[in-house]
Amino acid sequence: MYSDAHLSELGEFLKECRAQLSPRTVGLPESGEPRRVPGLRRAEVAQLAGISTDRYARLEQGRTRVSTSELATLVRVLHLDDDQRDHLFELAARGERDPRHLPTQKVQPGLRRLLDELTAAPALVLGRHMDILAWNALAAALLTDFGRIPQKKRNYVRLLFTDPCFRELYLDWRTIARSCVAQLRLEAAKWPGDPRLAALVGELSVTDADFRQWWAGRQMTGLEVGTKRLRHPVVGDLTLDWSSLTCTADPAQQLVIGTAEPGTPSHDGLRFLASWTADPYLPARGAAA
């Protein structure tokens, strides 16, 4: 069964996508008359999709289920890209689990051992909603001392928006933060109605205007790979390539690893930072670093 919140979110997403289109974009004639709302009218989307206006209105209002054939048609009519299409299908999927009873995640033992073996590359294990489940010493030295953060608040997105030191590390913070918000929206489709996710979104919506704006947007680009530029107080500027590997034992856990091209200043910087953190006579990097 769909939850009311699930259907409502699907309807809101359809409304957002409709608002981004113009009659010219979808091949409809422009009347020249001013429109009371941005984008296409519901009746225009219904016409293009070959369904009644009432039927489409019920979809946007979260009052009915949507069939697979209707989903495929709406993907075409609303000009959705691949990520938006996947998000729409996730929202429409039948919920087989009660999200209120999701078990607490613990890092998989194999991932924990792998983290301990990775001494020359910063690595994290991210769980649902980008909770930080585990990290290696180099990730702590590069990003922040995750151990100082209470477990319930140890979340990558929360740190990006609420921790000034964490935020200042990223030279391209806005790009990274927007991608994380988009990833969080994909997460919301997988676990609709999850109270922990609702609390996180509510907290960040209240405290940060950028988060509010981006959460209401339609960017749906995920975080499987990417390049991040950081300014570290010990080793200076670094350009790192980040890759995400999904755990087969628990697909809701991802190993995220940062690497640098050999022979570059960034590679040398990582090697120096690794040796710096391995020296027992040097102080550990704390929250202020």
Side-chain angles (χ1 to χ4, degrees), residues 121-182:
L124 305 166
V125 176
L126 299 183
R128 290 188 296 267
H129 320 324
M130 282 177 281
D131 287 340
I132 299 168
L133 304 182
W135 58 93
N136 64 3
L138 189 50
L142 176 67
L143 299 174
T144 193
D145 179 8
F146 296 107
R148 71 178 172 83
I149 303 167
Q151 183 177 355
K152 291 184 178 181
K153 293 187 176 295
R154 203 178 289 152
N155 177 277
Y156 192 85
V157 185
R158 178 186 277 111
L159 288 174
L160 270 177
F161 282 93
T162 65
D163 188 320
C165 297
F166 197 80
R167 180 171 180 151
E168 289 172 6
L169 280 171
Y170 292 94
L171 296 176
D172 47 359
W173 179 85
R174 292 182 67 83
T175 300
I176 301 303
R178 289 195 70 171
S179 294
C180 283
V181 173

XYZ file of all heavy atoms in Angstrom, residues 121-182:
502
model
N 44.358 6.312 1.273
C 43.205 6.975 0.644
C 42.145 7.227 1.704
O 41.821 6.325 2.482
C 42.630 6.118 -0.484
N 41.590 8.434 1.762
C 40.493 8.694 2.704
C 39.248 7.930 2.275
O 38.915 7.877 1.092
C 40.285 10.204 2.600
C 40.792 10.567 1.234
C 41.911 9.617 0.942
N 38.567 7.340 3.242
C 37.387 6.529 2.906
C 36.365 6.602 4.030
O 36.707 6.674 5.214
C 37.794 5.078 2.649
N 35.087 6.573 3.629
C 33.951 6.584 4.554
C 32.992 5.479 4.157
O 32.933 5.073 2.992
C 33.184 7.912 4.481
C 33.904 9.229 4.688
C 32.999 10.372 4.232
C 34.271 9.391 6.148
N 32.196 5.029 5.120
C 31.042 4.189 4.807
C 29.799 5.007 5.133
O 29.604 5.435 6.270
C 31.040 2.879 5.614
C 29.756 2.091 5.323
C 32.251 2.033 5.256
N 28.986 5.252 4.102
C 27.745 6.000 4.271
C 26.567 5.036 4.237
O 26.523 4.123 3.402
C 27.583 7.040 3.156
C 28.665 8.115 3.058
C 28.318 9.104 1.950
C 28.847 8.843 4.379
N 25.623 5.264 5.142
C 24.423 4.441 5.186
C 23.220 5.199 4.668
O 23.344 6.109 3.845
N 22.031 4.808 5.139
C 20.816 5.491 4.714
C 20.899 6.975 5.048
O 21.389 7.361 6.113
C 19.594 4.883 5.416
C 19.236 3.478 4.957
C 17.916 3.038 5.565
N 17.979 2.924 7.010
C 18.263 1.804 7.666
N 18.521 0.694 7.006
N 18.287 1.793 8.986
N 20.390 7.783 4.127
C 20.306 9.238 4.307
C 21.686 9.870 4.505
O 21.812 10.947 5.067
C 19.402 9.602 5.484
C 18.182 8.761 5.601
N 17.502 8.289 4.507
C 17.513 8.293 6.693
C 16.459 7.562 4.913
N 16.454 7.553 6.218
N 22.743 9.161 4.044
C 24.128 9.618 4.150
C 24.597 9.752 5.600
O 25.410 10.610 5.931
C 24.338 10.912 3.356
C 24.472 10.643 1.863
S 24.649 12.148 0.874
C 22.952 12.667 0.805
N 24.065 8.895 6.465
C 24.639 8.763 7.797
C 26.059 8.225 7.669
O 26.323 7.334 6.851
C 23.805 7.804 8.647
C 22.490 8.411 9.090
O 22.370 9.652 9.078
O 21.579 7.638 9.447
N 26.965 8.727 8.478
C 28.359 8.281 8.444
C 28.498 7.133 9.434
O 28.473 7.329 10.655
C 29.311 9.441 8.795
C 29.145 10.572 7.780
C 30.766 8.957 8.825
C 29.816 11.865 8.191
N 28.656 5.909 8.903
C 28.703 4.713 9.735
C 30.117 4.388 10.193
O 30.301 3.822 11.281
C 28.126 3.518 8.978
C 26.695 3.658 8.434
C 26.272 2.366 7.760
C 25.725 4.037 9.543
N 31.112 4.711 9.378
C 32.499 4.402 9.721
C 33.416 5.219 8.831
O 33.006 5.744 7.781
C 32.776 2.906 9.555
N 34.690 5.302 9.229
C 35.672 6.081 8.487
C 37.056 5.572 8.846
O 37.248 4.892 9.855
C 35.555 7.567 8.833
C 35.742 7.836 10.300
C 36.895 8.164 10.960
C 34.721 7.763 11.307
N 36.673 8.304 12.302
C 35.344 8.065 12.551
C 33.356 7.487 11.299
C 34.646 8.093 13.753
C 32.659 7.511 12.496
C 33.305 7.811 13.696
N 38.039 5.895 7.999
C 39.410 5.537 8.349
C 40.150 6.771 8.870
O 39.616 7.889 8.861
C 40.142 4.877 7.170
C 40.324 5.805 5.975
O 39.954 6.978 6.016
N 40.898 5.271 4.903
N 41.382 6.560 9.319
C 42.134 7.635 9.956
C 42.384 8.791 8.996
O 42.331 9.965 9.395
C 43.462 7.090 10.488
N 42.629 8.483 7.724
C 42.929 9.547 6.771
C 41.687 10.390 6.477
O 41.795 11.611 6.280
C 43.496 8.954 5.479
C 44.056 9.941 4.456
C 45.033 10.925 5.102
C 44.728 9.205 3.307
N 40.506 9.774 6.462
C 39.270 10.549 6.266
C 39.062 11.508 7.429
O 38.649 12.659 7.230
C 38.072 9.609 6.127
N 39.349 11.060 8.649
C 39.209 11.941 9.808
C 40.208 13.083 9.741
O 39.890 14.228 10.078
C 39.402 11.141 11.094
N 41.440 12.787 9.303
C 42.456 13.828 9.209
C 42.142 14.817 8.094
O 42.429 16.016 8.213
C 43.822 13.189 8.957
N 41.528 14.327 7.031
C 41.227 15.190 5.889
C 39.978 16.039 6.126
O 39.969 17.236 5.819
C 41.024 14.331 4.642
C 40.614 15.077 3.365
C 41.748 15.975 2.880
C 40.207 14.081 2.275
N 38.922 15.440 6.678
C 37.623 16.100 6.740
C 37.309 16.666 8.122
O 37.141 17.875 8.275
C 36.536 15.120 6.300
C 36.682 14.589 4.862
C 35.637 13.519 4.574
C 36.600 15.717 3.842
N 37.193 15.810 9.112
C 36.930 16.251 10.484
C 37.054 15.060 11.405
O 37.028 13.898 10.959
C 35.526 16.891 10.618
O 35.427 17.556 11.869
C 34.427 15.846 10.510
N 37.159 15.305 12.686
C 37.205 14.237 13.675
C 35.778 13.749 13.908
O 35.052 14.278 14.752
C 37.833 14.758 14.969
C 37.885 13.706 16.053
O 37.574 12.534 15.758
O 38.234 14.053 17.199
N 35.375 12.740 13.142
C 33.998 12.258 13.224
C 33.665 11.704 14.609
O 32.504 11.688 15.012
C 33.752 11.187 12.165
C 33.870 11.690 10.752
C 34.958 11.348 9.966
C 32.896 12.516 10.213
C 35.075 11.813 8.663
C 32.992 12.986 8.918
C 34.088 12.634 8.140
N 34.687 11.231 15.327
C 34.443 10.667 16.636
C 33.916 11.665 17.648
O 33.283 11.280 18.634
N 34.144 12.961 17.414
C 33.666 13.981 18.355
C 32.186 14.273 18.173
O 31.577 14.947 19.004
C 34.451 15.288 18.131
C 34.077 15.974 16.821
C 34.784 17.286 16.574
N 34.535 17.783 15.232
C 33.464 18.476 14.863
N 32.529 18.743 15.753
N 33.318 18.876 13.622
N 31.603 13.791 17.095
C 30.213 14.107 16.760
C 29.305 13.015 17.319
O 29.557 11.827 17.094
C 30.038 14.207 15.232
C 30.992 15.252 14.654
C 28.593 14.541 14.866
C 31.106 15.196 13.150
N 28.252 13.374 18.044
C 27.319 12.345 18.538
C 26.792 11.493 17.390
O 26.528 12.000 16.292
C 26.195 13.164 19.176
C 26.829 14.480 19.521
C 27.858 14.729 18.467
N 26.647 10.204 17.629
C 26.273 9.281 16.569
C 24.996 9.698 15.853
O 24.902 9.604 14.626
C 26.113 7.868 17.144
C 25.789 6.817 16.091
C 25.700 5.429 16.686
O 25.964 5.234 17.872
N 25.318 4.455 15.885
N 23.990 10.186 16.583
C 22.718 10.544 15.962
C 22.833 11.753 15.047
O 21.948 12.001 14.223
C 21.670 10.802 17.043
C 21.256 9.552 17.801
C 20.150 9.840 18.796
C 19.704 8.573 19.519
N 18.609 8.847 20.488
N 23.911 12.527 15.195
C 24.098 13.708 14.354
C 25.234 13.522 13.345
O 25.618 14.461 12.663
C 24.376 14.935 15.224
C 23.191 15.348 16.079
C 23.448 16.654 16.792
C 22.226 17.110 17.574
N 21.086 17.429 16.678
N 25.743 12.310 13.252
C 26.880 12.031 12.381
C 26.368 11.752 10.966
O 26.292 10.623 10.502
C 27.670 10.845 12.935
C 29.120 10.783 12.497
C 29.799 9.597 13.143
N 29.994 9.786 14.577
C 30.051 8.781 15.455
N 29.886 7.529 15.058
N 30.256 9.043 16.736
N 26.022 12.806 10.277
C 25.404 12.715 8.951
C 26.126 13.677 8.014
O 26.357 14.843 8.351
C 23.906 13.047 9.046
C 23.221 13.042 7.711
O 23.261 14.022 6.966
N 22.583 11.935 7.371
N 26.459 13.189 6.827
C 27.275 13.969 5.892
C 26.575 15.251 5.458
O 27.176 16.323 5.408
C 27.610 13.103 4.677
C 28.661 13.682 3.772
C 30.015 13.491 4.035
C 28.314 14.411 2.641
C 30.987 14.013 3.199
C 29.277 14.943 1.804
C 30.610 14.742 2.087
O 31.563 15.274 1.264
N 25.290 15.167 5.155
C 24.559 16.350 4.700
C 24.434 17.360 5.834
O 24.603 18.567 5.626
C 23.167 15.968 4.158
C 22.472 17.190 3.583
C 23.273 14.887 3.109
N 24.123 16.893 7.035
C 24.013 17.808 8.169
C 25.331 18.552 8.388
O 25.338 19.770 8.619
C 23.623 17.055 9.432
C 23.557 17.974 10.656
C 23.306 17.233 11.942
N 21.879 16.964 12.127
C 21.327 15.760 12.078
N 22.101 14.709 11.863
N 20.035 15.608 12.247
N 26.453 17.847 8.296
C 27.751 18.497 8.488
C 27.997 19.555 7.409
O 28.514 20.640 7.695
C 28.872 17.455 8.460
C 28.960 16.532 9.676
C 30.007 15.450 9.449
C 29.288 17.329 10.926
N 27.630 19.242 6.171
C 27.839 20.200 5.082
C 27.110 21.522 5.333
O 27.604 22.594 4.980
C 27.354 19.609 3.757
C 28.346 18.811 2.917
C 27.652 18.266 1.685
C 29.552 19.638 2.520
N 25.930 21.440 5.941
C 25.107 22.632 6.111
C 25.234 23.287 7.488
O 24.871 24.456 7.636
C 23.641 22.305 5.837
C 23.307 22.201 4.373
C 23.336 20.978 3.726
C 22.979 23.326 3.635
C 23.046 20.872 2.374
C 22.682 23.242 2.284
C 22.716 22.011 1.652
N 25.721 22.566 8.485
C 25.689 23.124 9.841
C 27.053 23.269 10.496
O 27.161 23.980 11.498
C 24.808 22.250 10.765
O 25.406 20.944 10.913
C 23.404 22.100 10.202
N 28.091 22.606 9.987
C 29.422 22.675 10.595
C 30.288 23.638 9.787
O 30.698 23.315 8.669
C 30.056 21.284 10.628
C 31.360 21.250 11.410
O 32.157 22.198 11.287
O 31.587 20.276 12.143
N 30.591 24.833 10.311
C 31.361 25.827 9.533
C 32.723 25.310 9.087
O 33.159 25.588 7.957
C 31.502 27.005 10.504
C 30.369 26.845 11.465
C 30.171 25.368 11.618
N 33.419 24.551 9.940
C 34.742 24.038 9.573
C 34.639 23.030 8.434
O 35.436 23.056 7.492
C 35.418 23.401 10.792
S 35.747 24.552 12.139
N 33.658 22.139 8.516
C 33.446 21.149 7.463
C 33.082 21.838 6.159
O 33.583 21.494 5.089
C 32.333 20.202 7.904
C 32.269 18.900 7.144
C 33.116 17.866 7.454
C 31.336 18.722 6.132
C 33.055 16.656 6.772
C 31.271 17.530 5.441
C 32.130 16.487 5.759
N 32.245 22.835 6.260
C 31.778 23.571 5.080
C 32.920 24.316 4.398
O 33.034 24.322 3.160
C 30.683 24.547 5.509
C 30.081 25.388 4.416
C 28.874 26.123 4.975
N 28.231 26.962 3.994
C 26.939 27.270 3.993
N 26.158 26.787 4.935
N 26.412 28.051 3.078
N 33.804 24.913 5.186
C 34.892 25.713 4.617
C 35.952 24.871 3.912
O 36.748 25.397 3.133
C 35.539 26.555 5.712
C 34.650 27.698 6.201
C 35.234 28.401 7.407
O 36.390 28.069 7.791
O 34.555 29.278 7.974
N 35.971 23.574 4.179
C 36.933 22.704 3.506
C 36.708 22.667 1.994
O 37.649 22.524 1.220
C 36.822 21.280 4.048
C 37.501 20.954 5.375
C 37.092 19.565 5.834
C 39.011 21.049 5.240
N 35.449 22.775 1.576
C 35.091 22.547 0.174
C 35.133 23.848 -0.616
O 34.340 24.759 -0.385
C 33.702 21.922 0.083
C 33.654 20.519 0.621
C 33.293 20.280 1.952
C 33.990 19.431 -0.169
C 33.268 18.991 2.461
C 33.966 18.137 0.329
C 33.601 17.924 1.646
O 33.582 16.648 2.147
N 36.053 23.918 -1.569
C 36.139 25.104 -2.426
C 34.935 25.203 -3.356
O 34.574 26.296 -3.791
C 37.440 25.060 -3.236
C 38.735 25.134 -2.407
C 39.950 24.987 -3.308
C 38.803 26.442 -1.629
N 34.339 24.068 -3.683
C 33.137 24.048 -4.531
C 31.938 23.596 -3.697
O 31.176 22.720 -4.092
C 33.337 23.145 -5.747
C 33.928 21.783 -5.381
O 34.198 21.550 -4.177
O 34.128 20.961 -6.294
N 31.771 24.238 -2.537
C 30.754 23.804 -1.583
C 29.359 23.775 -2.190
O 28.603 22.816 -1.980
C 30.741 24.728 -0.355
C 29.690 24.344 0.639
C 29.783 23.418 1.632
C 28.341 24.846 0.694
N 28.587 23.307 2.310
C 27.680 24.171 1.757
C 27.642 25.798 -0.048
C 26.357 24.431 2.096
C 26.318 26.047 0.286
C 25.685 25.369 1.342
N 28.960 24.781 -2.934
C 27.594 24.841 -3.455
C 27.303 23.661 -4.381
O 26.212 23.076 -4.337
C 27.346 26.169 -4.183
C 27.330 27.380 -3.255
C 27.020 28.662 -4.020
N 25.659 28.681 -4.529
C 24.594 29.034 -3.805
N 24.727 29.391 -2.540
N 23.386 29.032 -4.346
N 28.258 23.310 -5.220
C 28.056 22.180 -6.125
C 27.908 20.883 -5.339
O 27.017 20.074 -5.607
C 29.233 22.063 -7.105
O 29.320 23.260 -7.876
C 29.054 20.877 -8.035
N 28.791 20.681 -4.363
C 28.736 19.467 -3.553
C 27.437 19.418 -2.762
O 26.759 18.382 -2.692
C 29.940 19.411 -2.594
C 31.254 19.444 -3.375
C 29.862 18.177 -1.704
C 31.398 18.342 -4.391
N 27.072 20.542 -2.145
C 25.874 20.568 -1.298
C 24.609 20.308 -2.117
O 23.715 19.569 -1.681
C 25.781 21.907 -0.576
N 24.524 20.871 -3.315
C 23.337 20.643 -4.152
C 23.232 19.185 -4.561
O 22.135 18.609 -4.595
C 23.385 21.524 -5.394
C 23.166 22.990 -5.120
C 22.870 23.769 -6.384
N 21.542 23.431 -6.903
C 20.954 24.087 -7.899
N 21.568 25.109 -8.472
N 19.764 23.738 -8.315
N 24.369 18.570 -4.883
C 24.352 17.158 -5.245
C 23.904 16.297 -4.067
O 23.181 15.315 -4.240
C 25.743 16.710 -5.712
O 26.106 17.356 -6.911
N 24.321 16.674 -2.867
C 23.924 15.923 -1.679
C 22.426 16.064 -1.415
O 21.773 15.092 -1.012
C 24.727 16.389 -0.469
S 26.420 15.760 -0.437
N 21.886 17.238 -1.633
C 20.437 17.417 -1.457
C 19.678 16.564 -2.476
O 18.667 15.931 -2.138
C 20.058 18.905 -1.599
C 18.538 19.076 -1.588
C 20.677 19.717 -0.470
N 20.170 16.530 -3.702
C 19.533 15.693 -4.718
C 19.599 14.220 -4.323
O 18.627 13.471 -4.485
C 20.217 15.908 -6.069
